[in-house]
Amino acid sequence: MVTFEGLPGAVAVSHLSVYDWPAADGLRGGTPHLHLTCSEGYVVVGGSGSVQTLTASGFRETPLTPGALVWFTPGAVHRLVNDDGLRVIVLMQNSGLPEAGDAVLTLPPPCLADPDVYRAAATLPGDAEEAVQERAARARRDLAVEGFLVLREAVEGGDPEPLAAFHRAAAALVRPRTPEWRGRWEKGAATAAAATADQLDALDRGEAGHLADARVHAERPSAHGRFGMCGRLDVYRT
């Protein structure tokens, strides 16, 4: 029988304290980006703010206060705005793939045309002291906000092509990584679904042997305050 012991449905979670750095438009918050193969959700646990989203259907701003649950599907450009100490639990499809590569920032077009240029602009100096990492994270955020505002203006002005061009550029950037992502999906969400199918088949036969294999897992964060795209992250190995 297929077994799976990850979090339900092979989701992953992290705790996010959203950046409070002001951007060029006066709003404080994170780095606009999209995911290409993953849905993502937010459960608000503290503070207040909003999430700005940009899709082919238009621009939207959704308020975030404690207890709110918001999620979006692949392709939705999203930007967290921090009004007052915004903290969220992030739910991520495909075993946390959104934090493991499935994200493209809304950098200006010249940064998207060459993978090396994009990588240099999007990658933080992981082994540097905290102050250096913070400056790099803030510069990256500001560059992505610059690109996001251009995309938003075009969509709101009735011109869909800049957003469509960004989608194409994002797909080209991640294409070399899809075999790696497929492996994560096969070991995670696909295996979880197969395990449920096996369990249903067993129950149809009147069998309950798999219930004796129950396990309990518990985790504490494996890292605290890591610089992420939208804020400081507490992350779990799951």
Side-chain angles (χ1 to χ4, degrees):
M1 175 174 286
V2 177
T3 60
F4 179 77
E5 297 191 21
L7 280 169
V11 301
V13 299
S14 63
H15 176 265
L16 174 67
S17 298
V18 180
Y19 293 135
D20 62 359
W21 308 324
D25 60 354
L27 299 179
R28 298 177 296 156
T31 307
H33 61 280
L34 59 65
H35 305 297
L36 291 97
T37 64
C38 295
S39 291
E40 187 173 74
Y42 299 143
V43 181
V44 183
V45 295
S48 62
S50 62
V51 58
Q52 297 182 340
T53 51
L54 188 64
T55 69
S57 299
F59 173 79
R60 177 177 174 179
E61 189 160 17
T62 303
L64 298 178
T65 54
L69 171 63
V70 179
W71 70 95
F72 34 85
T73 59
V77 178
H78 47 287
R79 176 196 184 188
L80 277 169
V81 175
N82 183 359
D83 291 337
D84 182 20
L86 181 61
R87 295 184 296 108
V88 302
I89 298 298
V90 185
L91 309 175
M92 297 167 286
Q93 194 178 5
N94 294 321
S95 307
L97 185 56
E99 287 178 4
D102 180 17
V104 174
L105 313 183
T106 56
L107 304 182
C111 297
L112 301 170
D114 184 293
D116 292 332
V117 174
Y118 176 83
R119 191 177 304 110
T123 304
L124 301 183
D127 57 351
E129 62 183 24
E130 181 166 314
V132 174
Q133 292 187 57
E134 180 174 329
R135 285 195 297 271
R138 187 164 181 165
R140 178 179 72 173
R141 190 283 310 269
D142 290 345
L143 194 60
V145 168
E146 177 185 332
F148 172 79
L149 293 176
V150 172
L151 294 176
R152 175 182 170 180
E153 181 179 6
V155 169
E156 292 187 315
D159 181 5
E161 176 52 28
L163 181 60
F166 173 66
H167 289 167
R168 293 192 296 269
L173 283 170
V174 306
R175 185 178 180 185
R177 302 194 63 183
T178 55
E180 170 196 342
W181 295 359
R182 184 177 297 276
R184 178 184 285 254
W185 167 74
E186 289 172 344
K187 294 176 182 177
T191 298
T196 299
D198 274 6
Q199 292 158 7
L200 290 170
D201 290 343
L203 293 174
D204 283 342
R205 296 190 299 267
E207 299 171 1
H210 65 283
L211 301 180
D213 297 326
R215 300 287 186 272
V216 177
H217 301 274
E219 291 280 351
R220 300 289 299 176
S222 59
H224 292 272
R226 192 178 74 187
F227 286 97
M229 288 176 287
C230 295
R232 302 296 294 265
L233 291 167
D234 296 342
V235 299
Y236 298 82
R237 289 191 179 89
T238 52

